[in-house]
Amino acid sequence: MIEFERYTLANGLRVIHNYDPSTVMVAVDVLYNTGARDESRDLTGIAHLFEHLMFGGSVNIPSFDQELENAGGENNAWTSNDFTNFFDIVPAQNVETVFHLESDRMLGLSFNPESLRVQRSVVIEEFKQQCLNRPYGDLMHGLRAALYSPEHPYSWPVIGIEPEHIARVAEADVRRWFYAHYAPNNAVLAISGNLDHERGSELVEKWFGDIPARDIAPRRMPAPGFPESLVQREMRGAVPYSNVVIAIPMDPYGTVDYRVADCITDILSAGNSSRFYRRLIADGDGSIIEADASVTGSEEPGFVMLTARPAEDNPEALDATRCALMEQLRQLAVPGDVDDYELQRTLNRFESTFELMNVDALSKAQNLAMAEMHGEDINDTVPRQRRITTADISRVAAKLVATPPVVLYYRPK
């Protein structure tokens, strides 16, 4: 049970606070409701670039990192299709420094041209390292482009379509992005650690209370444009072996069927007791070396991803691997195929993972922020998952099997 208080400031900033006197640290997480889904196809990657720019100096603070390091703190950030997140952890006696730093860059950036030049170069280099010079680095470019309509923002990865988009981001684009998406009324502030609620609310009001609310750009999401029939693609690259990837459209986060699909991927691939490991690898014929299953967890309709590494690289082996993955999903669609024991084992694993993910203050702050952004009670996470039944598993598995997938074969050159 995670105890917390929650409230909303007059400017719309949502605050959720967990007081934990057992630690000497305090974690502060600021989650903004903006990500790559707010981009347009002609200027992609700006959400991720902006994550970097948020460390390039704000209205009154030229160096975020230096100020935090002087207070004995650490920080980092991430960007997804849906959100941008900034998190800090600092000794409790220096926690006010974090409130000062985070509030100042929420108030406004310095919009330093040199910072933009430097961070453009950093992100372009990151694009090259992760997507162009790394085995399978462009896999998601190909997969998402085949799965979504071209104008849907999920049809490109968070890092963007190509480095040239990052290179042409101008100062006007940066200013427009900031004032359209970065605001107290478009964010959640989460606190966890050795800071009591009274002092915490004082600091929140002191540093964030007078930041003005802003008009947030409306989000216009086109239809996903999922395929109406099987789509099969092949990519080639400087890779050591072939990968078989199956992407099946699924419901968005927050729906019952999303949670069931997440449970299905655990049954298929979580640990050595999973079906993929036992049936395709441990007791298989050696034709499949690795196999995995996951969900994208996105706010808009996403996809289940089934992946495997076949032992051989030829059309017959690739097709047999695809069939083997789909057969395991088809078996789950048979009523009664999953019994109560297997389901409870999977749900127990979910609960243990959840508990381990909320041990330290930093993890709790991030998870509390996300739960608040979703309008959920974090303490209902496990009970909600435990409401899944074996009938739900067969129903959603059948739904996935009946949905036209995208099949991608990524092969060595």
Side-chain angles (χ1 to χ4, degrees), residues 392-404:
D392 289 326
I393 298 294
S394 60
R395 176 180 60 80
V396 174
K399 181 178 174 181
L400 293 171
V401 168
T403 302

Side-chain angles (χ1 to χ4, degrees), residues 99-388:
F99 286 94
H100 180 200
L101 293 170
E102 289 291 359
S103 65
D104 202 62
R105 62 180 176 181
M106 182 183 286
L107 177 65
L109 298 185
S110 63
F111 300 109
N112 184 338
E114 178 63 12
S115 174
L116 176 57
R117 184 191 68 79
V118 170
Q119 295 306 327
R120 272 195 310 235
S121 298
V122 169
V123 174
I124 288 171
E125 185 61 29
E126 184 178 342
F127 192 110
K128 292 176 180 178
Q129 290 180 355
Q130 291 189 2
C131 303
L132 303 182
N133 302 324
R134 182 179 178 182
Y136 314 101
D138 58 348
L139 187 152
M140 293 307 293
H141 283 83
L143 187 68
R144 287 183 173 275
L147 189 63
Y148 289 93
S149 66
E151 297 307 316
H152 196 285
Y154 284 1
S155 67
W156 58 82
V158 174
I159 203 164
I161 293 176
E162 57 186 26
E164 288 73 15
H165 284 196
I166 306 299
R168 67 169 182 255
V169 173
E171 183 179 340
D173 299 314
V174 172
R175 289 181 178 273
R176 183 167 54 250
W177 187 270
F178 179 83
Y179 289 110
H181 303 292
Y182 280 75
N185 49 312
N186 203 39
V188 169
L189 171 66
I191 307 159
S192 179
N194 198 347
L195 178 68
D196 64 54
H197 295 297
E198 182 178 359
R199 178 60 175 157
S201 61
E202 289 175 1
L203 291 175
V204 170
E205 187 62 48
K206 174 182 176 180
W207 291 106
F208 290 90
D210 61 354
I211 301 175
R214 299 184 178 112
D215 293 330
I216 305 303
R219 180 173 287 140
R220 298 182 178 92
M221 297 292 289
F226 290 134
E228 296 182 359
S229 59
L230 168 69
V231 173
Q232 192 163 304
R233 299 282 175 87
E234 181 176 298
M235 296 178 68
R236 295 273 185 169
V239 297
Y241 50 79
S242 291
N243 260 351
V244 174
V245 183
I246 303 172
I248 307 173
M250 60 170 283
D251 287 14
Y253 181 90
T255 61
V256 172
D257 284 8
Y258 166 86
R259 295 194 295 273
V260 178
D262 189 26
C263 186
I264 285 173
T265 60
D266 285 346
I267 291 173
L268 290 175
S269 69
N272 290 345
S273 62
S274 67
R275 293 193 173 200
F276 277 1
Y277 181 80
R278 288 186 292 111
R279 299 181 180 184
L280 301 183
I281 299 173
D283 297 332
D285 59 6
S287 62
I288 296 176
I289 307 300
E290 298 172 359
D292 196 13
S294 60
V295 296
T296 52
S298 49
E299 300 298 293
E300 305 292 332
F303 55 95
V304 169
M305 189 162 68
L306 310 179
T307 63
R309 171 190 167 189
E312 298 181 11
D313 174 41
N314 57 66
E316 294 76 19
L318 297 176
D319 189 58
T321 300
R322 174 187 65 82
C323 291
L325 293 174
M326 288 302 299
E327 178 57 27
Q328 293 303 314
L329 183 60
R330 284 193 190 92
Q331 289 180 21
L332 293 179
V334 177
D337 181 71
V338 176
D339 60 22
D340 289 335
Y341 175 81
E342 185 175 22
L343 175 59
Q344 290 308 311
R345 183 179 62 199
T346 301
L347 296 177
N348 290 345
R349 187 184 185 94
F350 178 91
E351 181 172 359
S352 65
T353 301
F354 172 82
E355 295 296 337
L356 289 172
M357 287 174 56
N358 288 285
V359 169
D360 61 276
L362 185 55
S363 298
K364 277 191 286 188
Q366 292 192 74
N367 293 331
L368 283 165
M370 191 62 74
E372 179 64 23
M373 182 66 76
H374 285 140
E376 298 173 342
D377 179 356
I378 194 171
N379 293 311
D380 190 44
T381 303
V382 172
R384 187 171 59 235
Q385 196 74 359
R386 285 198 174 278
R387 290 194 282 271
I388 293 173

